Amino acid sequence: MTAPASGRAVVVGAALAGLRGAEALRRAGFSGPLTIVGAEPHPPYDRPPLSKHVLTGEVPADATRLPNLVGLDAAWRLGAAATRLDRSGRTIHLADGTALPYDRLLVATGTRARPWPNPHEGRLGGVHTIRDRDDAAALRAALRGRPKRVLIVGGGFIGCEVASACRSLDIPVTLVEPSPTPLARVLGTHLGAVVGALHESRGVDLRSGAEVEWLEDDGAGHVARAHLAGGGSVEADVVVVALGAVRNTDWLAGSGLSADPGGLDCDARGHALDAAGEPDTAIAAAGDVARFPHPLYDGRRVALEHWGHAVAQAEHAGRLLAGRPAEAPYGALPTFWSTQGGLNIKSVGLTEGADGIVIAQGSPREGRFLALYGREGRCIAAVSIDCARWLPAYAAMIEARAPFPPIRRGTDQPGGLEILPPGWPERARR
């Protein structure tokens, strides 16, 4: 494909990946008509502050808009979700009844919050999810009302960040997580226990190994309490459902593309794959919705919900659609960060599948350390807690597929470097 001077490009998804992908198209020389479609009425905005600074009131929800880095000369179709893709006619159908033709299409539809499984209970007053700007504004308003207790269902990163925000506001909070520790599915129970102890030290009522079975109505359409599996209940007038995310692929049903709730499959270059595994060279994907073979992990297909990944993959996809593909397949090292209770948690690589872990720098007892994860004798991921200065060195080791465990007797390393099992919960191993 050569760089086009004309043709029509459509970006479906008006968040971080969509915006940066559109900018990459223009930077790579695409000069044809460009349309950006977004399901939300808001221009692109930054999501990480929503579960942190927006909830504490430090940043208003409407002050999170992302800057445009390139003059786009684009038509914006905000508040009109894509509902169907007709690949044979190269047409995208929107919820407002209109249709858009395309010659090149970037799919960057991201994710939505996984709802509470019982729709009636999920619609009760006081029950919240947090994924978009309006969600954050609504939850901020609820917290400003000084609830008697906030119940958070789910101890992943979002759940932990919301719990931290509540404690910063001195609001009583209970966090219920079915795994043995918070973040166990991502970090394993060894590091999850450290995070759990931090939250408990700040006054979070942590209920690990517990599950919420149903939410009780107060008789006036508002949540009153949550009932736990096996007995017991938690009274709460605000409930935050933090059960992860669902990738926005519903609108691709019937298109012939290989897509399901886990994402849209792509080849190593970034083109979308059809059901037969063949690439559609008119379509690329980027961000949370893209499921692609990662070269650092033996081509295992992954879909990543990381801010830096959305930017890097969008740049790759935009250049690809503009006819200026990168020389190598996309394979940026995944990175992630989270702030909780004054701690700065940063990670590089993917912990999934690790068969060993070592504390490579610092000490968990001091609350400042770096853990390195290995699989089959190779370094695959590192997680730092208030110890980020060492992270670039270990990122280089992961990219080089360096042997695991690492070299001993380095500066600030503990003496033994004992290899421990990560402690994945049963659900994470399935």
Side-chain angles (χ1 to χ4, degrees):
M1 193 193 302
T2 59
S6 61
R8 298 158 297 189
V10 177
V11 176
V12 180
L16 177 65
L19 176 62
R20 299 298 179 240
E23 292 171 344
L25 267 166
R26 288 302 194 207
R27 278 198 304 267
F30 178 75
S31 59
L34 172 62
T35 302
I36 302 174
V37 176
E40 296 182 55
H42 312 296
Y45 58 86
D46 208 16
R47 293 188 189 275
L50 300 182
S51 57
K52 308 175 186 73
H53 308 301
V54 170
L55 296 187
T56 59
E58 298 168 70
V59 176
D62 59 4
T64 56
R65 182 168 177 172
L66 288 165
N68 282 33
L69 306 179
V70 173
L72 287 176
D73 187 23
W76 292 84
R77 299 292 299 273
L78 300 177
T83 57
R84 185 167 67 88
L85 172 62
D86 175 6
R87 289 169 59 225
S88 62
R90 290 200 172 186
T91 303
I92 300 151
H93 295 264
L94 306 184
D96 62 6
T98 61
L100 294 173
Y102 72 90
D103 298 297
R104 286 165 176 77
L105 169 63
L106 175 59
V107 178
T109 42
T111 63
R112 62 186 183 276
R114 189 181 300 279
W116 183 247
N118 183 308
H120 169 72
E121 295 172 8
R123 288 191 292 268
L124 292 175
V127 177
H128 297 261
T129 57
I130 181 163
R131 173 61 186 171
D132 61 33
R133 198 179 102 175
D134 294 340
D135 293 338
L139 182 53
R140 168 59 188 160
L143 298 180
R144 202 164 46 231
R146 307 300 303 177
K148 295 178 181 178
R149 178 165 295 274
V150 174
L151 169 66
I152 300 170
V153 186
F157 279 109
I158 295 296
C160 287
E161 288 171 359
V162 175
S164 178
C166 289
R167 291 308 302 142
S168 295
L169 297 170
D170 197 29
I171 295 173
V173 59
T174 297
L175 191 154
V176 175
E177 164 58 42
S179 296
T181 71
L183 298 174
R185 294 177 178 83
V186 181
L187 304 181
T189 56
H190 288 293
L191 265 63
V194 175
V195 175
L198 160 72
H199 285 287
E200 288 185 309
S201 73
R202 299 190 70 228
V204 175
D205 174 23
L206 179 59
R207 309 282 186 94
S208 296
E211 294 188 59
V212 174
E213 197 166 62
W214 62 286
L215 303 176
E216 183 180 339
D217 189 333
D218 67 355
H222 198 282
V223 68
R225 62 184 55 81
H227 293 264
L228 305 180
S233 64
V234 177
E235 292 194 12
D237 41 352
V238 170
V239 173
V240 180
V241 178
L243 297 176
V246 179
R247 288 171 173 82
N248 291 319
T249 57
D250 300 12
W251 68 287
L252 299 174
S255 69
L257 292 178
S258 178
D260 57 36
L264 169 60
D265 285 320
C266 304
D267 65 10
R269 298 185 70 193
H271 288 126
L273 296 176
D274 65 19
E278 294 297 319
D280 184 331
T281 57
I283 304 176
D288 300 2
V289 75
R291 185 168 53 196
F292 67 101
H294 202 298
L296 279 177
Y297 299 93
D298 302 317
R300 186 173 89 239
R301 291 193 176 277
V302 296
L304 305 175
E305 298 174 37
H306 302 163
W307 192 96
H309 158 72
V311 173
Q313 193 176 39
E315 171 71 25
H316 180 94
R319 289 182 59 83
L320 178 68
L321 288 177
R324 299 180 183 274
E327 294 183 3
Y330 175 77
L333 184 66
T335 61
F336 182 78
W337 65 273
S338 175
T339 55
Q340 301 174 28
L343 285 186
N344 194 345
I345 303 173
K346 292 187 175 182
S347 71
V348 293
L350 301 176
T351 61
E352 182 183 352
D355 54 28
I357 181 175
V358 297
I359 303 302
Q361 308 288 162
S363 167
R365 293 180 181 178
E366 298 172 3
R368 185 192 63 82
F369 66 95
L370 181 144
L372 184 66
Y373 294 74
R375 180 179 183 179
E376 298 177 353
R378 297 290 179 185
C379 297
I380 63 168
V383 175
S384 72
I385 296 184
D386 277 357
C387 194
R389 69 190 181 104
W390 291 106
L391 211 53
Y394 286 95
M397 293 173 61
I398 294 163
E399 289 182 313
R401 299 171 62 90
F404 177 87
I407 297 173
R408 291 168 167 77
R409 296 183 298 278
T411 303
D412 197 32
Q413 280 187 334
L417 281 188
E418 179 184 4
I419 301 177
L420 302 168
W424 304 122
E426 280 299 323
R427 293 184 180 197
R429 287 199 290 265
R430 291 175 188 164

